[in-house]
């Protein structure tokens, strides 16, 4: 026994940073050590190391949202600079759509690719690489220009696809790393806080647009002819060219701040236990995470010996394509993946489609157009600030405050139900709604998107799947959502303007089919109600319980712990014999 304790112990630990591994160093069975060590992580009191994990992951989501949202403000500036003579300073609709869809296309690739690789080679090895890609592609965009052989649209699309791949990778990686390091009691709030940084990123993009607009006010005031965009020449044109580059380029700054911390986090203990099957390294990594070190450093001889002896004894199944097909081929698990992927798809069709209303909403609050370029860009920035603060940001943080008490599934169900009603009202009563009523419904929709399925579709896939497929499954779910975003941008964007002459129309006349599009979105929200029934409630449950690995719980599945039926029966038989002996 003394030799076992000496071999299993790792260095470090104090009153502030407890060494969970050494509490169980005397236990020879690696499965029992794993269970007890993970139980301590799940029950750990909320501390600064949890805050640190949220901040490091959240900065990435801040960057993602900033880069995605900023392009909505920048495309008008691109029109002034690159279509000043050919299209009266307005970017063509096809070019505008292509630039925006390029990001979503890249994001789908990143979500699939990084999600799979994080399960294959580890979370630590992939975390930070996606941020490097985002930083590099963002800076490249800000330095882009057209030439005789390449248009600005082609160059920006190329870099935004690469940036989208990095953004896509951030979804499964940040969700899974936060989930696997979190305490069970506040796991939903931690993951929700990471996702809520999207609202702050949107706010920052609009705020920076307002700052640069104010900074170049003198130059922009010179563009005051008719049409306004075409009259912006000379000093005004140079100012706009500088503005869009500053707005896009700033997106790399927060990523640079978080990069070091992402590259130096330890591997998640659950991955090291269940996939790498390295018991000693997993225990050491727990301590390293709490002490903010890049990784644990157990005695290599002890670690290799334990890896040789303990790995075959671990009961969690090994990942493989055959096991993946067998696992999700069972309805009890396959339906969860359908539920998370389907809910995210239905959500994003309407979530991104709601942006089709932005021009109408900005007009309703009096922040659209202007007599010169300064007023145009100022109104656009301020209007977007108001919209973001009115509905989006409050919704995110109400979710953070309630997700661990109300639960994920009730919030998602409520959100889809309320959004179905809102889109029905907008769609079927559109012609009878005044601008104030439309504004109120828009703000309510933004609020219930974020205090609803937009947050929960991110949280639940990071919790309800087994460790060996958790990142892949989150990537599949997230990629389904981005496919919905592409549908909204490619199909419903042009559809809302069906029958209108986009060169001569003004205001709502440019969107004669907008009410029908809103009716279609109501149908998507209604479908989301049914996919919500397929997902489990994950509130206050450990990741192992949700994966069916905890005996005595409703989710328990002997095969998920590597137990065959006969082995499981033998285990219970041995317990009964021991109980009889104890009584005698």
């Amino acid at each position: 026994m003394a030799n076992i304790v000496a071999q299993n112990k790792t260095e470090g630990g104090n009153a502030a940073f407890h060494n969970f591994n050494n509490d169980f160093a005397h236990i020879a069975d690696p499965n029992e050590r794993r269970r007890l060590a993970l139980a301590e992580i799940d029950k750990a009191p909320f501390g600064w190391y949890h805050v640190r994990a949220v901040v490091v992951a959240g900065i990435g989501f801040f960057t993602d949202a900033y880069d995605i949202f900023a392009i909505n403000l920048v495309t008008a500036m691109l029109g002034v600079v690159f279509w000043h003579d050919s299209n009266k300073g307005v970017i063509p609709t096809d070019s505008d759509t292509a630039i925006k869809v390029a990001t979503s296309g890249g994001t789908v690739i990143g979500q699939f690719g990084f999600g799979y690789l994080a399960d294959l080679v580890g979370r630590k090895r992939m975390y930070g690489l996606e941020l490097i890609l985002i930083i590099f592609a963002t800076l490249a965009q800000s330095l882009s220009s057209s030439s005789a052989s390449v248009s600005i649209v082609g160059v920006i699309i190329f870099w935004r696809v690469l940036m989208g791949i990095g953004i896509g990778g951030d979804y499964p990686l940040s969700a899974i790393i936060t989930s696997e390091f979190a305490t069970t009691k506040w796991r939903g709030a931690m993951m929700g806080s990471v996702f809520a940084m999207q609202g702050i990123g949107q706010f920052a993009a609009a705020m920076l647009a307002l700052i640069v607009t104010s900074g170049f006010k003198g130059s922009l005031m010179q563009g005051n002819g008719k049409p306004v965009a075409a009259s912006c020449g000379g000093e005004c044109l140079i100012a706009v060219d500088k503005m869009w580059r500053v707005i896009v380029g700033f997106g790399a700054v927060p990523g640079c701040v978080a990069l070091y911390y992402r590259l130096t986090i330890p591997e998640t203990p659950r991955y090291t236990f269940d996939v790498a099957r390295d018991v000693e390294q997993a225990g050491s990594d727990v301590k390293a995470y709490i002490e903010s070190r890049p990784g644990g450093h157990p005695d290599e001889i002890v670690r290799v010996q334990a890896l040789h002896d303990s790995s075959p004894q671990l009961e969690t199944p090994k990942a493989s394509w055959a096991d993946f097909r067998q696992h999700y081929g069972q309805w009890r698990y396959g339906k969860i993946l359908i539920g998370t992927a389907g809910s995210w798809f239905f959500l994003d069709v309407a979530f991104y489609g709601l942006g089709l209303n932005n021009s109408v909403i900005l007009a309703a609050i009096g922040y659209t157009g202007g007599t010169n370029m300064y007023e145009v860009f100022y109104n656009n920035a301020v209007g977007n600030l108001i919209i973001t603060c009115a509905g989006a940001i409050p919704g995110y943080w109400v979710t953070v405050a309630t997700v661990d008490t109300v639960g994920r599934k009730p919030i998602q169900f409520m959100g889809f139900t309320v959004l179905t009603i809102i889109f029905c009202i907008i769609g079927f009563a559109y012609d009878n709604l005044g601008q104030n009523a439309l504004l109120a419904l828009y703000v309510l929709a933004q609020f219930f998107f974020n205090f609803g399925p937009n947050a929960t579709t991110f949280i639940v896939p990071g919790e309800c799947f087994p460790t060996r497929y958790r990142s892949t499954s989150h990537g599949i779910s997230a990629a389904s959502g981005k496919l919905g975003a592409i549908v909204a941008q490619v199909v419903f964007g042009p559809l809302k303007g069906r029958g209108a002459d986009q060169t001569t129309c003004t205001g709502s006349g440019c969107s004669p089919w907008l009410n029908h599009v809103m009716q279609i979105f109501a149908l998507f929200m209604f479908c989301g109600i049914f996919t919500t029934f397929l997902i489990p409630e994950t509130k206050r449950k450990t990741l192992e319980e949700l994966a069916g690995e905890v005996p005595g719980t409703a989710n328990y599945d002997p095969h998920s712990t590597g137990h065959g039926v006969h082995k499981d029966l033998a285990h219970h038989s041995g317990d009964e014999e021991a109980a009889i002996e104890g009584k005698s």
Side-chain angles (χ1 to χ4, degrees):
M1 177 64 73
N3 290 335
I4 293 173
V5 174
Q7 288 179 2
N8 289 339
K9 278 195 172 183
T10 56
E11 297 179 357
N14 54 45
F17 301 113
H18 194 71
N19 188 337
F20 296 119
N21 182 70
N22 287 352
D23 289 347
F24 315 112
H26 63 284
I27 298 174
D29 182 3
N31 294 292
E32 187 67 5
R33 287 183 65 195
R34 168 186 176 272
R35 185 186 69 80
L36 293 173
L38 293 182
E40 286 296 317
I41 296 171
D42 290 334
K43 296 174 183 177
F46 191 81
W48 282 110
Y49 44 92
H50 292 122
V51 175
R52 197 162 51 239
V54 169
V55 171
V56 172
I59 289 177
F61 263 83
F62 173 95
T63 303
D64 299 345
Y66 179 95
D67 289 333
I68 293 173
F69 187 74
I71 199 65
N72 295 324
L73 303 168
V74 162
T75 50
M77 300 177 186
L78 293 176
V80 172
V81 176
F82 296 101
W83 285 271
H84 182 264
D85 297 323
S86 60
N87 201 44
K88 298 180 180 180
V90 178
I91 185 172
T93 302
D94 292 345
S95 298
D96 180 70
T97 301
I99 289 173
K100 294 174 181 176
V101 171
T103 312
S104 297
T107 302
V108 172
I109 298 171
Q111 287 163 335
F112 274 125
F114 276 89
Y116 170 70
L117 289 172
D119 279 337
L120 182 66
V121 302
R123 286 74 158 121
K124 175 181 172 60
R125 290 185 180 180
M126 301 308 300
Y127 207 40
L129 296 182
E130 86 292 351
L131 202 54
I132 292 174
L133 189 56
I134 293 171
I135 293 168
F136 180 74
T138 299
L139 291 175
Q141 282 178 75
S142 67
L143 300 174
S144 296
S145 189
S146 59
S147 69
S149 60
V150 181
S151 71
I152 187 64
V153 175
V155 175
I156 290 181
I157 286 176
F158 175 80
W159 291 119
R160 288 196 73 81
V161 168
L162 289 182
M163 185 187 75
I165 293 173
I167 290 173
D170 204 28
Y171 275 75
L173 283 168
S174 289
I176 300 311
I177 287 174
T178 304
S179 173
E180 292 181 351
F181 275 129
T183 175
T184 300
K185 185 177 182 180
W186 302 115
R187 187 176 61 234
M190 288 179 64
M191 297 180 71
S193 296
V194 170
F195 194 69
M197 292 302 292
Q198 282 196 337
I200 308 301
Q202 294 172 9
F203 178 85
M207 180 58 72
L208 189 65
L210 178 61
I211 291 171
V212 296
T213 298
S214 299
F216 287 101
K217 180 178 180 179
S219 300
L220 296 175
M221 293 286 284
Q222 296 180 20
N224 56 4
K226 294 290 184 179
V228 176
S231 67
C232 180
E235 188 178 340
C236 175
L237 189 65
I238 295 173
V240 176
D241 193 31
K242 292 177 180 178
M243 287 168 58
W244 79 264
R245 296 179 191 278
V246 170
I247 294 171
V248 170
F250 182 81
V253 174
C256 292
V257 174
L259 183 59
Y260 169 78
Y261 297 98
R262 289 198 171 195
L263 292 174
T264 57
I265 66 162
E267 182 57 86
T268 69
R270 284 181 164 89
Y271 180 88
T272 312
F273 269 127
D274 295 353
V275 183
R277 310 176 83 78
D278 191 338
V279 177
E280 289 297 321
Q281 186 65 56
S284 186
D285 282 344
V286 173
K287 177 172 67 68
Y289 162 66
I290 295 174
E291 294 181 351
S292 301
R293 290 191 287 107
H297 300 286
D299 183 279
E300 281 300 306
I301 296 177
V302 174
R303 189 185 75 83
V304 172
Q305 183 64 41
L307 191 62
H308 178 269
D309 296 340
S310 302
S311 180
Q313 299 178 45
L314 286 170
E315 296 172 342
T316 51
K318 290 185 178 180
S320 67
W321 283 113
D323 179 67
F324 183 88
R325 291 193 299 269
Q326 188 275 334
H327 181 77
Y328 286 112
Q330 302 175 66
W331 175 244
R332 64 181 295 183
Y333 299 122
K335 71 175 183 179
I336 297 175
L337 185 58
I338 293 172
T340 57
S343 296
W344 211 330
F345 174 82
F346 293 136
L347 160 76
D348 271 9
V349 171
F351 182 72
Y352 281 83
L354 187 64
L356 303 175
N357 260 324
N358 275 8
S359 59
V360 178
I361 300 304
L362 291 175
I365 60 177
Y367 285 96
T368 185
T371 59
N372 54 59
M373 290 313 302
Y374 170 74
E375 291 182 1
V376 170
F377 292 141
Y378 177 88
N379 286 336
N380 193 27
V382 173
N384 278 284
L385 279 172
I386 294 171
I387 290 173
T388 302
C389 292
I393 292 179
Y396 282 116
W397 292 104
V398 171
T399 297
V400 172
T402 60
V403 70
D404 283 312
T405 52
V406 175
R408 288 69 154 154
K409 197 169 181 177
I411 289 176
Q412 182 166 312
F413 183 83
M414 173 210 62
F416 273 128
T417 302
V418 173
L419 288 167
T420 301
I421 296 170
I422 290 174
F423 278 111
C424 280
I425 295 172
I426 296 175
F428 291 100
Y430 187 82
D431 294 331
N432 299 318
L433 293 174
Q435 287 188 328
N436 291 336
L438 192 60
L439 173 62
L441 289 169
Y442 180 89
V443 171
L444 282 174
Q446 287 281 10
F447 179 82
F448 283 104
F449 267 126
N450 297 307
F451 178 43
N454 193 35
T456 56
T457 51
F458 172 81
I459 295 171
V460 173
E463 303 175 305
C464 62
F465 300 110
T467 301
R468 64 192 186 277
Y469 302 129
R470 187 170 291 130
S471 184
T472 301
S473 302
H474 194 286
I476 292 171
S477 302
S480 299
K482 274 297 175 285
L483 288 174
I486 293 173
V487 169
Q489 293 167 319
V490 174
V491 177
F492 294 113
L495 184 63
K496 72 181 178 70
R498 182 184 179 190
D501 185 352
Q502 298 296 325
T503 61
T504 58
C505 67
T506 58
S508 60
C510 294
S511 306
W513 262 60
L514 187 58
N515 60 328
H516 299 303
V517 170
M518 295 298 115
Q519 293 165 11
I520 296 171
F521 289 162
L523 176 61
F524 278 99
M525 295 298 92
F526 186 67
C527 291
I529 295 173
F530 293 97
T531 54
T532 300
F533 288 118
L534 299 177
I535 66 172
E537 177 52 65
T538 59
K539 177 186 71 172
R540 301 284 164 88
K541 294 180 181 179
T542 68
L543 299 181
E544 285 65 44
E545 180 182 348
L546 291 165
E549 299 173 9
V550 182
T553 61
N555 296 332
Y556 180 57
D557 176 12
H559 295 282
S560 70
T561 59
H563 288 180
V565 175
H566 297 296
K567 185 175 180 180
D568 194 54
L569 290 173
H571 174 73
H572 287 293
S573 176
D575 287 347
E576 290 173 2
E577 290 176 5
I580 293 171
E581 289 177 5
K583 287 181 180 179
S584 63

